[in-house]
């Protein structure tokens, strides 16, 4: 089984990446895990050309072409982002828009969750991610919310750290129940 963590933060040692690492550490017990740090990739914005409507493929040649097959093979997709101006980070927004070709059932039934960190009022970021998962047909598991601003401050949010561990455990339980049914 595979779990992918998509990191939208511009900071490798950022607060949202820190919490995602905790979730993935729990999942490593039963999953092959991979982190995709969007800052390291060349991902251009969606052009809204809708050519993917006919072909099922995005025509923009960049690093998203490497990510599409990984998303299709994953059992769990976790989006991690700081909340900038109340929404998701721009890199994550670009990534989300570029998955348009995958929306017609290609990710349906996979588990989706999130890690969102910010100073306050994170609702718009969470709503964006949950709407995104709904459009792609993912099974949504409520994610982790952390409160921090400066690098490292998240370590003081003991509730968020505990919830990150619990998210990993919930995902494991859910997958194990699903496997027993199948």
């Amino acid at each position: 089984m595979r779990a992918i963590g998509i990191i939208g933060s511009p900071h490798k040692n950022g607060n949202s990446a820190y919490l995602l690492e905790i979730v993935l550490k729990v999942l490593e017990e039963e999953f092959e895990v991979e982190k995709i740090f969007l800052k390291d990739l060349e991902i251009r914005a969606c052009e809204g050309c809708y050519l993917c409507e006919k072909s099922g493929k995005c025509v923009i040649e960049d690093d998203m072409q490497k990510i599409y097959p990984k998303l299709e093979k994953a059992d769990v997709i976790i989006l991690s982002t700081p909340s900038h101006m109340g929404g998701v980070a721009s890199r994550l927004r670009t990534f989300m828009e570029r998955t348009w070709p995958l929306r017609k059932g290609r990710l349906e039934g996979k588990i989706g969750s999130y890690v969102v960190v910010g100073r306050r009022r994170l609702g718009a970021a969470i709503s964006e991610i949950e709407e995104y998962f709904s459009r792609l047909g993912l099974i949504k598991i409520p994610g982790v919310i952390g409160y921090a601003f400066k690098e490292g401050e998240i370590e003081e949010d003991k509730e968020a750290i505990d919830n990150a561990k619990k998210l990993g455990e919930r995902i494991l339980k859910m997958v194990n129940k699903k496997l027993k049914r199948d």
Side-chain angles (χ1 to χ4, degrees):
M1 293 184 296
R2 294 178 186 205
I4 294 181
I6 306 290
I7 303 167
S9 175
H11 306 287
K12 282 207 171 177
N13 296 316
N15 295 310
S16 57
Y18 177 86
L19 288 179
L20 175 66
E21 186 67 38
I22 293 169
V23 177
L24 294 178
K25 196 74 150 169
V26 173
L27 294 180
E28 281 178 341
E29 294 174 23
E30 297 185 35
F31 284 84
E32 178 184 321
V33 300
E34 180 178 2
K35 289 182 284 191
I36 297 176
F37 192 68
L38 297 177
K39 185 178 181 180
D40 290 341
L41 304 173
E42 177 67 35
I43 300 175
R44 296 187 357 232
C46 176
E47 296 292 333
C49 66
Y50 301 109
L51 293 172
C52 60
E53 282 291 311
K54 293 179 183 166
S55 68
K57 296 169 110 179
C58 181
V59 297
I60 299 172
E61 290 295 328
D62 62 10
D63 289 331
M64 274 303 289
Q65 300 303 329
K66 298 174 195 170
I67 298 174
Y68 292 130
K70 292 179 181 193
L71 293 170
E72 290 185 286
K73 289 178 186 171
D75 300 289
V76 175
I77 300 168
I78 303 170
L79 303 183
S80 171
T81 185
S83 177
H84 292 165
M85 299 298 290
V88 300
S90 59
R91 283 180 178 86
L92 185 61
R93 165 49 75 196
T94 299
F95 162 84
M96 290 163 62
E97 289 177 357
R98 287 289 304 284
T99 59
W100 178 265
L102 303 179
R103 76 192 192 297
K104 292 186 176 177
R106 291 171 61 187
L107 300 181
E108 193 170 324
K110 297 178 185 299
I111 294 170
S113 195
Y114 56 84
V115 171
V116 177
V117 177
R119 291 176 74 181
R120 55 178 91 65
R121 293 187 274 166
L122 308 176
I126 294 162
S127 294
E128 281 182 73
I129 293 170
E130 288 187 346
E131 177 64 22
Y132 171 74
F133 287 152
S134 291
R135 288 175 183 256
L136 291 172
L138 275 74
I139 299 166
K140 297 182 285 187
I141 295 182
V144 177
I145 299 168
Y147 294 99
F149 183 62
K150 294 178 183 164
E151 186 176 308
E153 278 185 349
I154 196 65
E155 294 178 45
E156 298 169 25
D157 188 344
K158 302 303 180 197
E159 185 177 348
I161 292 168
D162 187 48
N163 286 337
K165 292 174 189 169
K166 288 178 182 175
L167 174 58
E169 292 165 2
R170 270 195 321 271
I171 292 170
L172 288 176
K173 274 185 189 175
M174 186 173 189
V175 168
N176 285 327
K177 280 184 184 178
K178 186 179 178 188
L179 289 174
K180 285 179 184 176
R181 281 183 289 178
D182 294 340

